[in-house]
């Protein structure tokens, strides 16, 4: 088969980031014109999608959804040689595992304690850290170096701090702007539900405008207020990266966010997959015939190889 834009794909990697509200999927490919003697690297993002996370959907419903998405981009299911999943919705894990095995004939690699990430975790209990937070931190450090902070605008908004040595230090979790908007609508009798957008003026001249101003500028104040304190505490020149569904909306208005990267989580999943790949020159890898899904001996469950010096 041929990948879009004239790239003849020899192998593809499906990455899934399963959040409480949305699931983001991406397909990476290695092309045939790469050096066959080099380790297998999936560097070409062929397509990506954002769909609603529905915990009640069956294996077949998810299977049909994924196949339809592939068909729209003319990507053949049989080309998938590996699947890696980051999930914060445990009830869906079994369903997605069956989808991968039934529709893609591949056992997925779930990002969980024991998987090699290349990033030591300094949390008091590393197993408490959400998989998506580790994935984002790995990608941010790989792309931008450290120290850095990743702000992920999802159902909750998370702030994740990475040291100059590439250590996951911890961070902050706050309610997402969507939760704030829903609470305002549900707890008031006369206020309508509104779209979350940046208003033209701070002073609203209508109820809708006033609500939008309060949501946008109120949340922007929350984000910048937390970032100001984080940057002071980290004590160094820190790079701040935003990702997630509303990263573009809030991130572009922030005093501290310097980069907006909608694909950061997908890149992190690809990076972690490759770090768990026991490759041989010119050969593909699947966790179905590898021991990498087993816990890696380590003092901390999320730890992997030592971080690069910066």
């Amino acid at each position: 088969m041929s990948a879009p834009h004239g790239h003849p794909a020899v192998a593809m990697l499906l990455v899934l980031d399963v959040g409480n509200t949305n699931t983001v999927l991406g397909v990476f490919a290695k092309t045939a014109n790469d050096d066959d003697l080099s380790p297998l690297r999936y560097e070409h993002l062929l397509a990506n999608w954002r769909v609603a996370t529905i915990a009640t959907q069956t294996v077949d419903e998810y299977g049909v959804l994924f196949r339809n998405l592939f068909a729209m981009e003319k990507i053949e299911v049989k080309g998938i040689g590996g699947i890696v999943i980051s999930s914060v919705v445990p009830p869906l894990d079994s369903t997605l595992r069956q989808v991968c095995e039934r529709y893609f004939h591949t056992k997925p690699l779930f990002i969980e304690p024991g998987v090699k990430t290349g990033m030591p975790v300094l949390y008091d209990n590393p197993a408490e850290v959400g998989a998506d937070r580790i994935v984002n931190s790995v990608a941010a450090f790989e792309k931008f170096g450290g120290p850095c902070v990743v702000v992920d605008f999802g159902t909750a908004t998370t702030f994740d701090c990475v040291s100059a040595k590439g250590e996951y230090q911890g961070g902050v979790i706050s309610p997402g702007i969507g939760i704030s908007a829903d609470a305002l609508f549900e707890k008031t009798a006369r206020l309508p539900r509104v779209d979350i957008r940046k208003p033209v003026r701070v002073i609203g001249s209508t109820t809708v405008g006033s609500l939008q101003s309060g949501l946008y500028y109120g949340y922007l104040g929350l984000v910048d207020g937390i970032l100001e304190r984080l940057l002071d505490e980290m004590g160094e020149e820190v790079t701040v990266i935003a990702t997630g569904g509303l990263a573009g909306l809030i991130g572009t208005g922030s005093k501290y966010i310097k980069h907006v990267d909608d694909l950061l989580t997908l890149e992190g999943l690809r990076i972690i997959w490759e770090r768990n790949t026991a490759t041989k020159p010119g050969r593909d890898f699947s966790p179905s015939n590898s021991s990498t899904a087993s816990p890696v001996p380590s003092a901390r469950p999320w730890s992997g190889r030592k971080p690069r010096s910066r």
Side-chain angles (χ1 to χ4, degrees):
M1 60 160 279
S2 294
H5 312 300
H7 294 296
V10 296
M12 293 186 291
L13 174 69
L14 173 61
V15 300
L16 293 93
D17 173 39
V18 184
N20 290 291
T21 303
N22 294 314
T23 294
V24 182
L25 306 85
V27 175
F28 289 91
K30 182 197 176 191
T31 55
N33 57 356
D34 288 344
D35 181 4
D36 288 338
L37 298 179
S38 63
L40 189 66
R41 296 182 63 86
Y42 298 92
E43 296 180 333
H44 305 281
L45 182 62
L46 300 182
N48 64 93
W49 309 271
R50 180 181 294 270
V51 299
T53 299
I54 304 175
T56 57
Q57 282 203 147
T58 66
V59 172
D60 291 325
E61 287 171 331
Y62 267 112
V64 170
L65 171 62
F66 293 169
R67 280 180 173 270
N68 286 342
L69 294 175
F70 276 42
M72 287 192 301
E73 297 293 334
K74 296 181 173 58
I75 297 174
E76 294 186 20
V77 171
K78 65 182 181 181
I80 298 297
I83 303 174
V84 57
I85 300 175
S86 165
S87 172
V88 296
V89 189
L92 266 179
D93 291 355
S94 176
T95 298
L96 292 173
R97 183 175 285 106
Q98 292 180 65
V99 171
C100 296
E101 294 176 357
R102 183 180 302 177
Y103 285 87
F104 296 93
H105 307 293
T106 300
K107 291 183 179 181
L109 174 67
F110 277 85
I111 306 300
E112 57 191 358
V115 169
K116 293 188 293 184
T117 65
M119 178 167 287
V121 176
L122 306 185
Y123 232 51
D124 289 345
N125 181 2
E128 290 181 355
V129 186
D132 55 337
R133 301 177 71 185
I134 298 296
V135 170
N136 286 338
S137 299
V138 167
F141 185 71
E142 182 77 9
K143 296 184 71 173
F144 301 99
C148 62
V149 175
V150 181
V151 188
D152 188 350
F153 294 93
T155 306
T157 296
T158 56
F159 302 74
D160 296 302
C161 304
V162 180
S163 72
K165 296 180 180 180
E167 303 158 322
Y168 179 83
Q169 297 177 297
V172 177
I173 302 174
S174 63
I177 189 172
I179 291 177
S180 301
D182 290 343
L184 191 62
F185 171 73
E186 292 170 2
K187 299 298 181 180
T188 56
R190 299 186 61 184
L191 295 181
R193 191 185 296 274
V194 298
D195 291 334
I196 300 171
R197 62 177 64 180
K198 180 180 180 180
V200 177
R201 302 172 66 243
V202 179
I203 301 174
S205 57
T206 65
T207 299
V208 169
S210 299
L211 286 168
Q212 289 175 331
S213 185
L215 288 168
Y216 178 82
Y217 289 107
Y219 207 78
L220 184 60
L222 177 149
V223 169
D224 277 356
I226 291 175
L227 284 174
E228 181 178 1
R229 287 163 175 78
L230 285 176
L231 300 186
D232 286 345
E233 193 169 304
M234 294 176 76
E236 301 178 70
E237 184 175 345
V238 180
T239 303
V240 183
I241 308 103
T243 192
L246 293 175
L249 177 65
I250 305 296
T252 53
S254 169
K255 293 187 296 183
Y256 302 105
I257 294 172
K258 301 304 180 185
H259 304 277
V260 176
D261 190 338
D262 295 331
L263 303 177
L264 189 71
T265 311
L266 301 186
E267 291 284 353
L269 286 166
R270 176 188 64 80
I271 292 166
I272 293 176
W273 168 271
E274 291 175 348
R275 290 180 180 176
N276 282 268
T277 302
T279 54
K280 295 182 180 179
R283 297 199 52 187
D284 198 358
F285 167 82
S286 171
S288 60
N289 56 15
S290 168
S291 61
T292 55
S294 301
V296 177
S298 168
R300 295 179 180 273
W302 281 109
S303 296
R305 67 186 182 189
K306 294 181 180 179
R308 300 176 300 175
S309 59
R310 289 271 170 175

